[in-house]
């Protein structure tokens, strides 16, 4: 009887805790109106595509356990979809967002409500358009705070400051893309980088709008840094201030201090900054890390960290009353050593539950390619030596379907949209980072997926190639977080390199760069059924075909199976 009473009491306590958790969870109902709005940058005004007239778009602030219902109303002239970058979307690929992968796009004049729940995630993520180059201006922060009563695994900062790094074109980004698609050449590089939508002091017509962040002496703040740029990895630093890294891609890290970070498109990094310098004005700045032998935007964006008790300057004329900010030391644009040293310091904040046994051992070559033209002098063949640029994984250059999305076709059993014969290894073995024969430069176009059993333990080695140029490719996997168990330069050696894998505290991410001319190995458990896109987050490369799809099969029962699609899911 006593044990029965004890069990009943414990069950009662558990029920109370469950109700308390449910009571603390909130439903966030929002509207995202996709609409053009005049935006002036670099002395010129453009009709930019925005969300609710804001650029960058609104910041979403939620807690772990909350649910969201965000109705996207398309009042622009382009098809669009929205991706909630880094959200697991467990059993719910319908809310993931990439057009023609998990949904058909939202057409002009139509709407779609993304409904999803934050499940055991906290930290800095973001949302963005996942339709061609619309994410150049359609993006915003998604901040997930811990559940009420759950602390950070580090000292609580005084406040948060979102830092959204972006790229700006002095013309319609969709026109830039359209020109590149026609000519087959590389797209024009951006004209400016931005911090929270503003280029900063070093660009024309921009000084008066430079973003300023006031700070009190002794105050510790958390910078939530997001690289929302389309095509460029970036170095970021704050003059005279050390940055303590505590999180990447919504996963906590063992804290470490650095003067500079490298952050690829799609990635997020949280750092703590303490105002422990002489009161003054200090630039925070970002500029390119360019690992490829290719043109890039060689400008620098700035914002200002401004101590509230900073001294003023006496006198007359321009700059009266303000002392010029101190500028940070940033690495050279091709400083791969600094970028690699930063990435190699990242560690999961405790012992990581990384899969130790591997069921699916995949080897993916990732890189660029060239499509030969029958008429090299054609205006549509303006790539190197009369070719068209391409990109591929395992020599497969991904082509988006148009008649239906892959997830809808998979769920409906509709044939002819995709095939499931994506190769687990390259069709031809070669010296991936050496002098590659030109006969291997042309990939094969197709819409191929790779099937995974539910809860299979997956290892993928992502091997960069020297075809066209070696490069850091920030690879993003939808629907999953993964552990980065190893990396190196040159060709991956399956006999010796696994012995050096970190299976104790590898960093957890959703986007990871391949070292230029090197490889990176990731592991995850395929516990989220659905169609999940894996692609390079450099949008030029995505458009050229550097992508593939994983089809994760259902497990047993409803809780291991994809939910039914919502009634308002857009149709193609």
């Amino acid at each position: 009887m006593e044990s029965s009473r004890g069990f009943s009491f414990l069950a009662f306590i558990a029920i109370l805790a469950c109700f308390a958790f449910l009571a603390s969870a909130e439903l966030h109902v929002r509207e995202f109106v996709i609409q053009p709005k005049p935006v002036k940058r670099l002395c010129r005004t453009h009709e930019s595509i925005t969300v609710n007239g804001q650029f960058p778009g609104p910041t979403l602030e939620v807690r772990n356990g909350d649910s969201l219902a965000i109705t996207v109303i398309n009042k622009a002239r382009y098809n669009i979809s929205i991706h909630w970058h880094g959200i697991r979307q467990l059993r719910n690929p319908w809310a993931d967002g990439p057009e023609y992968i998990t949904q058909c796009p939202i057409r002009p004049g139509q709407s779609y409500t993304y409904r999803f729940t934050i499940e055991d995630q906290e930290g800095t993520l973001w949302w963005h358009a996942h339709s061609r180059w619309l994410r150049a201006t359609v993006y915003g922060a998604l901040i997930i705070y811990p559940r009420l009563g759950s602390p950070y695994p580090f000292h609580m900062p005084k406040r948060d400051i979102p830092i959204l790094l972006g790229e700006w074109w002095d013309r319609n980004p969709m026109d830039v893309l359209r020109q590149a698609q026609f000519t087959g050449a590389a797209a024009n590089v951006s004209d400016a980088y931005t911090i929270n939508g503003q280029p900063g002091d070093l660009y024309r017509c921009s000084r008066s709008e430079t973003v300023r962040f006031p700070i009190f002496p002794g105050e510790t703040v958390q910078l939530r840094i997001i690289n929302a740029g389309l095509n460029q990895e970036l170095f970021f630093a704050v003059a005279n201030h050390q940055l303590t890294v505590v999180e990447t891609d919504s996963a906590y890290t063992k804290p470490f201090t650095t003067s500079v970070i490298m952050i690829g498109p799609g990635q997020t990094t949280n750092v703590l900054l303490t105002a422990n310098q002489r009161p003054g004005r200090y630039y925070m700045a970002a500029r390119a890390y360019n690992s490829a032998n290719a043109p890039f935007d060689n400008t620098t964006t700035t914002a200002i960290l401004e101590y509230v008790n900073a001294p003023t300057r006496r006198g007359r004329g321009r700059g009266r009353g303000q002392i010029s900010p101190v500028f940070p030391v940033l690495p050279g644009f091709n400083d791969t050593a600094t970028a690699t040293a930063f990435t190699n310091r990242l560690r999961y904040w405790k012992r990581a539950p990384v899969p130790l046994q591997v069921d699916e051992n995949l080897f993916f070559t990732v890189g660029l390619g060239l499509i030969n033209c029958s008429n090299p002098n054609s205006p549509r063949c303006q790539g190197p030596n009369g070719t068209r640029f391409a990109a591929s994984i395992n020599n497969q250059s991904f082509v988006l379907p148009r008649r239906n999305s892959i997830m809808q076709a998979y769920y409906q059993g509709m044939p002819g949209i995709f095939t499931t014969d994506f190769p687990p290894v390259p069709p031809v073995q070669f010296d991936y980072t050496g002098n590659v024969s030109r006969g291997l430069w042309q990939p094969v176009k197709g819409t191929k997926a790779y099937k995974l059993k539910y809860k299979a333990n997956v290892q993928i080695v992502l091997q960069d190639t020297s075809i066209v140029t070696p490069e850091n490719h920030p690879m993003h996997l939808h629907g999953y977080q993964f552990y980065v168990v190893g990396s190196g330069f040159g060709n991956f050696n399956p006999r010796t390199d696994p012995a050096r894998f970190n299976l104790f505290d590898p960093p957890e991410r959703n986007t990871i760069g391949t070292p230029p001319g090197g490889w990176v190995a990731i592991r995850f458990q395929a516990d989220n059924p659905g169609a999940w896109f894996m692609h390079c987050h450099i949008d030029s490369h995505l458009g050229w075909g550097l992508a593939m799809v994983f089809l994760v099969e259902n497990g047993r029962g409803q809780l291991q199976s994809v939910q039914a699609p919502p009634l308002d899911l857009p149709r193609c």
Side-chain angles (χ1 to χ4, degrees):
M1 179 67 73
E2 288 299 324
S3 62
S4 175
R5 286 176 180 172
F7 176 79
S8 299
F9 177 74
L10 290 174
F12 177 70
I13 293 297
I15 291 170
L16 282 181
C18 181
F19 276 118
F21 163 69
L22 292 174
S24 67
E26 292 186 32
L27 171 63
H28 301 263
V29 180
R30 301 284 293 271
E31 279 191 354
F32 275 19
V33 180
I34 311 298
Q35 60 189 110
K37 183 189 177 183
V39 177
K40 187 175 183 180
R41 298 290 186 275
L42 309 181
C43 313
R44 297 180 61 187
T45 300
H46 298 275
E47 285 289 317
S48 296
I49 306 301
T50 67
V51 171
N52 300 345
Q54 297 174 235
F55 170 65
T59 295
L60 296 174
E61 296 180 85
V62 301
R63 289 192 179 276
N64 185 10
D66 286 358
S67 296
L68 297 90
I70 301 177
T71 300
V72 176
I73 302 167
N74 189 0
K75 294 187 177 180
R77 59 189 174 109
Y78 305 105
N79 291 346
I80 198 167
S81 65
I82 301 293
H83 172 51
W84 316 95
H85 185 112
I87 297 294
R88 289 287 318 268
Q89 305 290 7
L90 293 170
R91 302 173 40 246
N92 184 23
W94 316 112
D96 191 43
E99 67 174 5
Y100 298 112
I101 304 298
T102 58
Q103 67 167 92
C104 299
I106 306 166
R107 297 178 182 177
Q110 296 184 349
S111 65
Y112 175 50
T113 300
Y114 292 90
R115 297 176 176 88
F116 57 94
T117 298
I118 311 296
E119 299 185 54
D120 295 323
Q121 290 187 269
E122 54 190 65
T124 302
L125 294 173
W126 62 301
W127 57 266
H128 60 81
H130 214 299
S131 304
R132 294 160 294 168
W133 277 27
L134 290 177
R135 79 171 180 89
T137 54
V138 178
Y139 63 85
L142 172 50
I143 297 172
I144 309 170
Y145 298 110
R147 289 188 175 98
L148 287 171
S150 296
Y152 292 117
F154 49 85
H155 184 69
M156 183 79 171
K158 188 78 172 179
R159 57 193 170 94
D160 287 340
I161 300 178
I163 305 288
L164 289 97
L165 307 176
E167 290 183 81
W168 179 263
W169 276 261
D170 199 19
R171 58 184 292 201
N172 182 351
M174 294 293 279
D175 291 341
V176 176
L177 173 63
R178 193 175 295 114
Q179 179 184 6
Q181 288 175 329
F182 178 83
T183 64
N188 291 339
V189 300
S190 57
D191 296 289
Y193 301 115
T194 58
I195 295 178
N196 292 359
Q198 294 293 341
D201 283 0
L202 304 184
Y203 298 89
R204 64 184 186 274
C205 305
S206 301
R207 182 178 292 270
S208 64
E209 302 298 327
T210 297
V211 179
R212 290 166 170 78
F213 300 105
I215 195 168
F216 290 88
E219 182 180 28
T220 296
V221 297
Q222 181 171 220
L223 306 184
R224 296 177 177 266
I225 306 163
I226 300 165
N227 187 346
L230 248 65
N231 296 320
Q232 193 63 61
E233 292 94 345
L234 295 166
F235 288 119
F236 174 89
V238 181
N240 291 12
H241 289 75
Q242 292 291 296
L243 309 174
T244 301
V245 177
V246 293
E247 179 199 306
T248 57
D249 291 358
S250 77
Y252 295 121
T253 65
K254 288 183 170 66
F256 68 90
T257 301
T258 180
S259 61
V260 64
I261 71 168
M262 192 283 286
I263 183 167
Q267 293 182 329
T268 70
T269 303
N270 285 19
V271 301
L272 302 181
L273 179 149
T274 300
N276 56 9
Q277 297 299 300
R278 178 179 299 176
R281 305 169 74 238
Y282 298 88
Y283 276 127
M284 56 177 64
R287 75 177 180 204
Y289 163 51
N290 190 65
S291 59
N293 182 20
F296 67 99
D297 177 353
N298 196 21
T299 63
T300 303
T301 181
T302 58
I304 298 173
L305 185 72
E306 199 163 47
Y307 282 63
V308 294
N309 60 340
T312 57
R313 181 172 57 192
R314 296 181 180 179
R316 297 182 179 180
R318 184 180 176 183
R320 180 172 58 88
Q322 292 184 336
I323 293 176
S324 296
V326 180
F327 204 86
V329 176
L330 285 166
F333 73 88
N334 60 352
D335 192 345
T336 292
T338 293
T340 304
F342 171 77
T343 302
N344 287 347
R345 294 182 70 185
L346 296 170
R347 294 287 185 272
Y348 194 61
W349 68 292
K350 57 183 180 180
R351 180 157 193 167
V354 57
L356 300 180
Q357 303 298 320
V358 173
D359 303 312
E360 291 274 2
N361 197 350
L362 307 175
F363 184 81
F364 287 0
T365 54
V366 296
L368 305 186
L370 297 173
I371 301 292
N372 295 322
C373 294
S374 56
N375 178 12
N377 296 319
S378 166
R380 296 187 60 83
C381 298
Q382 298 301 302
N385 301 314
T387 61
R388 293 180 61 85
F389 272 109
S392 67
I393 301 177
N394 281 355
N395 205 47
Q396 292 293 322
S397 186
F398 189 81
V399 178
L400 286 172
R402 284 293 186 267
R403 290 191 295 121
N404 204 352
S405 77
I406 289 177
M407 185 63 222
Q408 287 165 283
Y410 179 53
Y411 191 85
Q412 298 160 0
M414 180 180 181
I417 302 300
F418 65 93
T419 59
T420 57
D421 55 345
F422 186 88
V425 295
V428 177
Q429 289 189 341
F430 58 97
D431 180 3
Y432 309 112
T433 56
N435 187 13
V436 182
S437 165
R438 286 298 296 264
L440 297 175
W441 284 36
Q442 179 161 303
V444 178
K445 292 188 176 185
T447 307
K448 295 180 183 290
Y450 188 85
K451 275 194 170 184
L452 293 171
K453 294 289 187 184
Y454 182 76
K455 282 205 169 179
N457 290 332
V458 184
Q459 175 177 291
I460 309 173
V461 174
L462 298 162
Q463 173 72 61
D464 184 35
T465 77
S466 58
I467 297 175
V468 181
T469 177
E471 186 167 359
N472 182 304
H473 295 282
M475 300 298 294
H476 174 49
L477 176 58
H478 290 229
Y480 286 91
Q481 296 276 107
F482 50 75
Y483 296 99
V484 184
V485 296
S487 63
F489 289 96
N491 296 336
F492 175 73
N493 187 326
R495 292 183 300 277
T496 59
D497 285 329
R500 299 186 292 111
F501 282 179
N502 175 10
L503 302 179
F504 181 79
D505 59 355
E508 184 183 20
R509 306 212 67 148
N510 62 54
T511 306
I512 186 64
T514 59
W519 57 271
V520 63
I522 67 173
R523 288 188 183 183
F524 64 96
Q525 186 179 71
D527 59 356
N528 191 11
W532 304 108
F533 208 21
M534 186 174 196
H535 64 90
C536 181
H537 221 278
I538 294 175
D539 276 27
S540 287
H541 298 177
L542 171 57
W544 289 340
L546 215 169
M548 56 82 66
V549 172
F550 282 112
L551 285 180
V552 180
E553 298 176 351
N554 288 334
R556 294 182 178 179
Q558 183 178 354
L559 295 181
Q560 295 182 359
S561 301
V562 170
Q563 300 174 10
L567 296 178
D568 63 338
L569 190 69
R571 296 181 180 180
C572 289

